[in-house]
Amino acid sequence: MNWSGYSEGLFLWVLPVIPQIDGQLVEKLGQRLLPWMDQISPEHLNPSIYVGLRLSSRQAGAKEDLYLHSLKLNYQQCLLGSPSSDDNSDCQIKPSMGQLALYLLALRANCEFIGGRKGDRLVSQLKRFLEDEKKAIGEGTPWHNHEGHPHTSYYQYSLSILALCVHQKRVHDSVVGKLLYVVEHDHHLQQSHFSVDTEAMAGLTFTCLERFNFNPNLRPRITMAIGTVREKILKAQTPEGYFGNVYSTPLALQLLMASPMHGVELGTACLKARAALLASLQDGAFQNALMISQLLPILNHKTYMDLIFPDCQAPRVMLVPAVADPLVYHIPEVISVTLKVSSVLPSYKQTIFVLAGSSLEDILKMAQELGGFTYETQASLSGPYLTSVLGKTVGDREFWQLLRAPDTPLLQGIADYRPQNGETIELRLVSW
């Protein structure tokens, strides 16, 4: 298949509307990832960091090699274990299938194809996951019986198909058909909270399938779904310029860059998104490693589609750790933040005094130390998320939503969000 004309036609339009970002800004983003790459314990390993850096214009040298080596050791130990049993007693935290999909992307970012006996077993695990999720959504043909929901999310479902696709591994039409259905039926998307992130990931997945001409019986629907997703994302652009919100914009831009679309509408939308991202970066957004790893590729005019045929010889500038600013003595400011929980009885409301710059997680810890408040978290690639508050554990299709009073959902997690003086933060149990 000759892709040269496809790529040239795309980039004649895309490159002018997403111009080169200031190199110093990209350098600072890359520097934020360096401390994360020093954390190679299983609970901190994040394949997305490796993928983002490999698709950027920066490199971490030997740190990258060590990080990939640590990923391989951990994922093979935790997901393979003994061929004759499921005993992974040496594994501290078993990666999810979404993490396995990201691991496969990391291998492609290093120009490796999954293969051999171990690789085939990992592929089989991911395919079994997709089959299980397909059954949870609903049995039957791809066009009928979609009353259920995936155990995880359509984001992980899409990501898993994409990871297999870039390794040139096919999945059954019925698996792809389930994803096509939710894109084609708006009412189902709303019920499933099919966000801009998920739309973009589904669109990238369809784009990969289309480029390889996988699932040829579904090709007309796949092509139409790409256009549908693209149009939905363009319609989701906010007055500020974000697609959905600031943190879903990088993936949305990846899809728009990977889609063969031309015209003034795309150019204007991408220019607005670029301006919004620049403003958010200058305001200190993108401190989270996962979010940075999704942003870096588009700043280098790359997308996950570049993992199909990655250029591992492309020159990249070596990252240098940031120089710490000289210590300036100042008296720390004490702020007050009110913590509120109405989803359990009796309800909870308490004003907590902490140092300015404290994260919401710091405030939760302080509230727990003061007594009358308890919480539990679980680790994820985007940071810890709440699983229990005041003894109330999330059930199936539930989560603890973070809101700033009166009713503004937070875009960051408990480890990243830093409340301002006088804010009220509500933890609300919601179903989806």
Side-chain angles (χ1 to χ4, degrees):
M1 183 183 298
N2 181 6
W3 295 9
S4 58
Y6 186 101
S7 299
E8 288 169 5
L10 167 66
F11 281 99
L12 281 174
W13 281 95
V14 171
L15 287 182
V17 298
I18 307 180
Q20 187 66 42
I21 303 293
D22 176 45
Q24 290 185 342
L25 202 53
V26 177
E27 179 79 10
K28 288 180 180 178
L29 283 172
Q31 287 172 338
R32 292 177 191 173
L33 289 183
L34 289 179
W36 290 89
M37 298 194 77
D38 290 328
Q39 301 180 46
I40 56 176
S41 56
E43 66 269 22
H44 292 118
L45 283 172
N46 184 344
S48 186
I49 292 176
Y50 185 84
V51 174
L53 202 54
R54 294 287 295 189
L55 289 177
S56 78
S57 57
R58 299 300 191 268
Q59 65 158 308
K63 278 181 186 282
E64 285 184 23
D65 299 334
L66 176 60
Y67 202 78
L68 182 60
H69 178 69
S70 301
L71 284 170
K72 289 180 177 180
L73 287 179
N74 183 65
Y75 277 70
Q76 290 179 13
Q77 174 183 312
C78 288
L79 293 174
L80 298 180
S82 171
S84 59
S85 72
D86 294 327
D87 180 20
N88 297 318
S89 56
D90 293 334
C91 180
Q92 298 179 24
I93 302 175
K94 186 174 181 177
S96 67
M97 289 299 101
Q99 290 171 308
L100 172 57
L102 284 171
Y103 171 65
L104 295 191
L105 294 186
L107 293 180
R108 281 306 292 139
N110 193 47
C111 292
E112 297 182 39
F113 274 112
I114 193 83
R117 186 174 58 84
K118 291 183 178 180
D120 290 344
R121 288 173 60 202
L122 290 176
V123 168
S124 295
Q125 285 194 33
L126 205 51
K127 287 189 174 183
R128 279 199 303 271
F129 161 74
L130 286 168
E131 285 293 330
D132 290 343
E133 291 292 69
K134 183 189 75 172
K135 291 177 182 177
I137 296 168
E139 292 286 6
T141 69
W143 301 273
H144 299 90
N145 193 358
H146 299 265
E147 299 303 317
H149 305 276
H151 294 300
T152 56
S153 66
Y154 283 110
Y155 183 96
Q156 286 198 42
Y157 193 83
S158 302
L159 177 61
S160 299
I161 300 174
L162 174 63
L164 292 169
C165 180
V166 299
H167 282 271
Q168 301 181 24
K169 305 293 184 182
R170 301 170 183 262
V171 297
H172 195 272
D173 281 2
S174 61
V175 172
V176 178
K178 295 297 183 184
L179 188 59
L180 282 168
Y181 184 90
V182 293
V183 170
E184 294 165 345
H185 295 77
D186 285 347
H187 67 90
H188 196 90
L189 303 189
Q190 293 167 2
Q191 292 171 4
S192 301
H193 293 269
F194 210 61
S195 64
V196 168
D197 307 68
T198 308
E199 293 268 11
M201 186 58 72
L204 288 166
T205 298
F206 293 140
T207 302
C208 183
L209 296 175
E210 183 183 55
R211 290 193 183 182
F212 277 119
N213 198 26
F214 287 167
N215 308 95
N217 293 333
L218 300 177
R219 186 172 178 87
R221 293 177 67 200
I222 289 173
T223 301
M224 186 169 291
I226 294 171
T228 299
V229 169
R230 185 177 57 223
E231 304 235 342
K232 288 177 180 295
I233 285 176
L234 288 172
K235 288 179 181 178
Q237 190 163 37
T238 66
E240 297 82 10
Y242 302 122
F243 295 113
N245 62 57
V246 59
Y247 297 111
S248 58
T249 299
L251 269 184
L253 280 171
Q254 280 202 41
L255 174 68
L256 296 178
M257 290 173 68
S259 301
M261 180 182 183
H262 310 283
V264 176
E265 182 184 16
L266 173 65
T268 302
C270 289
L271 278 173
K272 283 185 66 176
R274 174 187 180 274
L277 282 177
L278 280 174
S280 68
L281 285 168
Q282 291 164 356
D283 289 340
F286 290 94
Q287 301 292 328
N288 181 281
L290 180 64
M291 300 297 103
I292 294 173
S293 70
Q294 293 179 350
L295 175 63
L296 279 174
I298 65 161
L299 300 185
N300 193 40
H301 305 136
K302 299 285 187 182
T303 76
Y304 288 156
M305 292 302 97
D306 288 284
L307 297 176
I308 295 175
F309 294 119
D311 183 2
C312 292
Q313 303 304 317
R316 295 186 295 144
V317 178
M318 182 68 72
L319 281 170
V320 178
V323 178
D325 294 329
L327 292 176
V328 178
Y329 179 76
H330 66 279
I331 300 174
E333 178 188 1
V334 176
I335 64 171
S336 66
V337 177
T338 299
L339 192 60
K340 175 183 175 183
V341 184
S342 302
S343 302
V344 297
L345 294 175
S347 60
Y348 173 91
K349 188 174 183 179
Q350 180 69 45
T351 298
I352 312 295
F353 294 92
V354 294
L355 295 179
S358 297
S359 68
L360 179 53
E361 187 175 22
D362 295 328
I363 293 168
L364 297 181
K365 289 177 181 177
M366 178 68 74
Q368 186 162 261
E369 290 173 4
L370 292 173
F373 179 83
T374 59
Y375 75 101
E376 294 177 7
T377 64
Q378 184 171 322
S380 74
L381 293 184
S382 57
Y385 65 91
L386 290 170
T387 56
S388 175
V389 174
L390 293 171
K392 175 61 177 176
T393 302
V394 293
D396 187 34
R397 301 179 63 77
E398 289 183 335
F399 70 98
W400 283 101
Q401 187 179 31
L402 313 176
L403 301 107
R404 183 176 64 246
D407 212 30
T408 303
L410 300 184
L411 301 180
Q412 296 168 289
I414 61 173
D416 297 313
Y417 185 71
R418 284 165 168 70
Q420 301 299 306
N421 187 34
E423 284 187 358
T424 295
I425 303 297
E426 180 182 355
L427 311 182
R428 183 184 299 173
L429 186 65
V430 297
S431 301
W432 59 282

